[in-house]
Amino acid sequence: MNETANFNAVSANTLFHFTPSLDNLLSILKNNFYPRYYPEDYSIFKDGMTIAFPMVCFCDLPFSQIRKHIKIYGSYGLGLSKDWGIRKGMNPLLYLSKDSPLYKEYLTAIPGLFNERWSDPDALKISTFIKRIRGDFYSKNLMTTLKNYNFTDEREWRFIPSDLDKRLSFYSSPSESELKSSNTALEKSKYRLEFEPSDIRYLILNKEDEIYEFLAKLDEIKEKYDFKTKRVLSSKILTVERIQEDF
């Protein structure tokens, strides 16, 4: 008997992106995703090493495990098909422990990792999909630092522009003004992660009483969402209130 089983799945067939505000969600629906520079702690390789590179982050957590993620990143989200993400070149992260043999093999295979000028661009591209297993992490949504945070719980996938050729920062964290100006420049660049309405599987709002306001604002995005499309999208709305009650 040849049968494909999907029981006990630990990941979703959806890639979720969460954001702190309704305006952010509407901007994504109107303009698609703009990659953003985010400082990443790479002290696993060298003390004080911080790299900021443009990315769009997702997770493939099922609804039963997504409450913690929502608290940390925001109560508004977009769920898109995993097939769409794979077509766009996304990949799940490799979570690396400094004590593992793989860590030592990685350093041996890519000696340019410690080159301050980063003469090997391929080393940077590979490293953008690596993250430490645990570490301190500041959540802007919670406005607090989470100590010894387990990053593997996030099941993160990333979109990185394929022709990425430089970092914003190397050994020190960029300032807020540097990040803001660099992100503004990205919005005017060719880098954009596009999707079609048919790729959307879920729209997540914070509260039930926001649905009418959301649909009214969605109605203003006329160039991308016609009447029929909006009717279909309205059936894909879930709220954090409902997730907390039913999952």
Side-chain angles (χ1 to χ4, degrees), residues 205-230:
L205 307 178
N206 187 26
K207 298 179 180 180
E208 294 286 319
D209 60 13
E210 292 178 313
I211 294 176
Y212 180 80
E213 175 191 359
F214 170 75
L215 291 175
K217 290 186 176 181
L218 187 64
D219 194 49
E220 298 172 5
I221 311 176
K222 299 183 184 302
E223 64 275 15
K224 188 172 182 180
Y225 302 101
D226 57 24
F227 177 77
K228 182 180 179 180
T229 301
K230 291 170 190 171

Side-chain angles (χ1 to χ4, degrees), residues 9-166:
V10 294
S11 64
N13 287 321
T14 301
L15 294 175
F16 292 100
H17 176 90
F18 287 93
T19 186
S21 74
L22 179 60
D23 285 343
N24 286 355
L25 177 59
L26 287 164
S27 176
I28 293 170
L29 290 169
K30 180 178 181 179
N31 302 307
N32 295 287
F33 292 97
Y34 292 117
R36 290 284 188 271
Y37 282 101
Y38 291 102
E40 285 284 309
D41 184 343
Y42 279 84
S43 56
I44 185 175
F45 299 121
K46 190 173 184 66
D47 289 343
M49 179 187 282
T50 300
I51 312 169
F53 46 85
M55 68 178 97
V56 185
C57 302
F58 299 83
C59 72
D60 69 350
L61 293 166
F63 280 116
S64 60
Q65 300 176 23
I66 214 164
R67 298 181 189 180
K68 175 183 173 183
H69 199 85
I70 289 173
K71 288 181 180 179
I72 293 171
Y73 290 99
S75 299
Y76 300 87
L78 189 62
L80 297 122
S81 76
K82 189 174 284 185
D83 286 342
W84 162 82
I86 292 171
R87 290 198 309 271
K88 293 296 183 178
M90 291 185 213
N91 206 74
L93 299 194
L94 169 63
Y95 294 96
L96 197 59
S97 165
K98 199 169 185 176
D99 298 321
S100 71
L102 179 60
Y103 170 79
K104 298 177 179 64
E105 292 292 338
Y106 180 76
L107 297 186
T108 301
I110 309 180
L113 190 66
F114 294 122
N115 187 333
E116 188 170 355
R117 296 183 180 181
W118 214 292
S119 58
D120 182 0
D122 291 331
L124 172 61
K125 291 177 182 178
I126 294 171
S127 298
T128 58
F129 287 95
I130 290 178
K131 195 160 190 167
R132 56 200 168 134
I133 290 177
R134 286 185 176 273
D136 295 346
F137 164 59
Y138 181 76
S139 166
K140 289 185 178 180
N141 195 53
L142 294 176
M143 294 187 293
T144 189
T145 297
L146 304 174
K147 297 291 185 179
N148 198 30
Y149 182 76
N150 186 351
F151 292 104
T152 63
D153 287 346
E154 297 191 344
R155 301 186 58 85
E156 183 178 346
W157 289 58
R158 279 182 185 166
F159 168 79
I160 307 290
S162 60
D163 54 347
L164 173 68
D165 60 359
K166 66 178 181 178

